[in-house]
Amino acid sequence: MQGELLRADQSRSPREDQPSSEERLRPERLRTDCPVLLSERLVMRAPHEEDIDALAHLANNAKVATMVSRMPHPYTADDAADFVRRTKNGDIGKCVYSITKAENGAFIGCCGVEPHADGRTVEIGYWLGEPYWNKGYTTEACHALVDMVFRTRQDVDQIDARCRVMNVASRRVIQKCGFQFQGSGLAASLALGSNVPVEWYRLDRKTWMSLRSWGNIA
């Protein structure tokens, strides 16, 4: 269901420890396991404090919260600040991204990757603020995220995605990315305080390689 590293080179000299101007502007580039992702209209990068107000505003929406697994409702500025802090500490999945518009940097939602215990499977999750629905942004972000996983993580054989049975828009995004239906089940919803019916989809590396131009998916 839709949810929720800095690496230091110890051999650098003291002078090399001084960040370049580019690193100061784009510290996310140092997250080599979670690189900044660029698409035609989007920039996906690490969440930071400047996102908190927009995050709290967009996430405080029952239409969003009830479609993702681990988002409380109501959603406050404190929740947003805690989310940013936990992503910086690596407490939420492996790679968590803020989705922003390339043209003006506006925060519009989040996506991320969470590894499974088997070491060969990861699960993607995503949500977008309601003003940005039905514009193709979610599909664009998921394409970029899926491509990043398969291109940079040779140990990953397959990616899972889940959506609520009633979430037609999310199902369509998953299908546009080439995922295949695997089955149905129940998943917890924090906002609703109960389990809800979900559908489970999977995309394996072989299928991705045959579709990675994405032009073959209607």
Side-chain angles (χ1 to χ4, degrees), residues 41 53 60 66 70 94 135 137 147 164 178 183 201 210:
R41 298 177 295 168
D53 288 345
N60 189 32
T66 56
R70 289 172 288 187
K94 179 68 173 177
K135 301 180 186 296
Y137 290 131
D147 286 348
R164 287 191 64 181
Y201 293 81
S210 69

Side-chain angles (χ1 to χ4, degrees), residues 72 130 159:
E130 187 175 5
I159 303 174

Side-chain angles (χ1 to χ4, degrees), residues 7 16 46-47 55 88 94 127 150 163 167 172 175 213:
R7 286 183 174 176
E16 289 174 321
L55 169 58
K88 286 188 172 183
K94 179 68 173 177
W127 67 267
F150 280 132
C163 67
N167 195 340
R172 183 61 178 152
Q175 292 172 339
S213 69

